[in-house]
Amino acid sequence: MPARYRPLAYTPPEPGELLSRARAFYELMRTRRSVREFSNRPVPREVIELALRTAISAPSGANQQPWFFVAVSDPATKRRIRQAAEEEERRFYAGRAPEEWLTALDHLGTGPEKPFLETAPWLIAVFAQSYGLSGHGRKVKHYYVQESVGLASGFLIAALHAAGLATLTHTPSPMGFMREILGRPENERPVMLIVTGYPAEDARVPVITRKAFDEVVRFV
Ligand code: IYR
């Protein structure tokens, strides 16, 4: 199908506004932290829906949008996810993870207990569609699946943060159980869980440093 075009609806910012908008977004995003202690305070479904609308507006390889999101608030489903995740995590921390990996995680103070999987009001499971299925059930090759799903997940985390919620990117490994619990098809691979809600009132985060700008950015 040949490309069809329409004009881009775009209004350039006023002079000076470019900088102030870039700064405002930076100031907003630099306060984001991964949080592991959540409040059970409910979050309206509409907020989650809007953040997901932001996520699915992300760019993707060949605009194939190779993602699927399952937003879970049902307590019984959250409990099943927690039980399955903790089972895997116990094996991970008890020896499946190489020593080097555990050493890398040391400063985060993580462990196999994942109470936040039940406390937080929402768990958003992110799936990657390794391939698509045409109307006739034929496999359709997808391009840049990892990159695309990473982009949409980044949009989702930014949207939830902008709304005023805390998030945690959680990757129980392996997490094949997500597909069974959430009833997703075989062309979908679970990529991560984005846990979200209000942080617990006494939530603490590990003291970490970001790499220096010049260490990770260069202008030429
Ligand atoms: N999935 C485990 C381990 C873990 C791995 C990485 I890489 C992290 O940045 C954090 C944790 C867990 O969730 O505890």
Side-chain angles (χ1 to χ4, degrees):
M1 215 203 315
R4 289 171 57 238
Y5 289 89
R6 63 157 177 81
L8 173 68
Y10 171 79
T11 320
E14 297 296 327
E17 219 194 320
L18 196 61
L19 204 54
S20 62
R21 280 167 57 168
R23 183 164 288 120
F25 193 66
Y26 167 57
E27 292 298 341
L28 174 67
M29 291 308 296
R30 64 180 291 203
T31 63
R32 186 208 56 80
R33 288 293 309 267
S34 290
V35 166
R36 292 183 172 79
E37 294 160 323
F38 284 85
S39 154
N40 61 5
R41 185 175 164 193
V43 168
R45 173 183 164 141
E46 202 179 359
V47 175
I48 302 303
E49 182 180 324
L50 281 166
L52 285 164
R53 286 187 189 279
T54 301
I56 66 173
S57 75
S60 64
N63 191 34
Q64 285 171 320
Q65 305 162 58
W67 44 59
F68 196 88
F69 298 86
V70 183
V72 180
S73 64
D74 171 53
T77 309
K78 288 197 294 181
R79 188 170 321 119
R80 286 182 69 196
I81 291 174
R82 176 182 178 183
Q83 280 165 357
E86 287 184 339
E87 205 168 298
E88 297 294 1
E89 293 289 289
R90 274 192 290 272
R91 282 192 218 115
F92 176 89
Y93 284 97
R96 193 165 51 203
E99 208 45 47
E100 192 179 15
W101 193 347
L102 294 178
T103 306
L105 293 176
D106 230 11
H107 71 295
L108 297 179
T110 55
E113 304 305 322
K114 306 295 179 191
F116 53 75
L117 291 175
E118 282 191 87
T119 321
W122 292 97
L123 310 178
I124 304 174
V126 183
F127 290 85
Q129 297 180 329
S130 320
Y131 54 90
L133 291 170
S134 74
H136 314 285
R138 237 194 308 274
K139 289 187 184 183
V140 178
K141 185 166 168 47
H142 277 168
Y143 300 93
Y144 296 103
V145 173
Q146 309 260 55
E147 293 82 349
S148 304
V149 174
L151 287 162
S153 303
F155 273 39
L156 180 58
I157 290 167
L160 292 165
H161 176 70
L165 296 173
T167 59
L168 174 68
T169 313
H170 179 46
T171 50
S173 62
M175 56 176 168
F177 65 84
M178 295 291 304
R179 200 163 70 189
E180 283 139 53
I181 293 177
L182 300 174
R184 297 309 304 160
E186 69 129 56
N187 63 321
E188 291 183 10
R189 188 175 56 77
V191 175
M192 67 181 92
L193 268 173
I194 296 183
V195 182
T196 191
Y198 291 93
E201 258 169 49
D202 57 354
R204 298 184 315 158
V205 290
V207 177
I208 56 167
T209 52
R210 305 284 188 209
K211 285 185 178 175
F213 186 81
D214 294 339
E215 207 181 327
V216 289
V217 182
R218 186 165 67 141
F219 286 81
V220 291

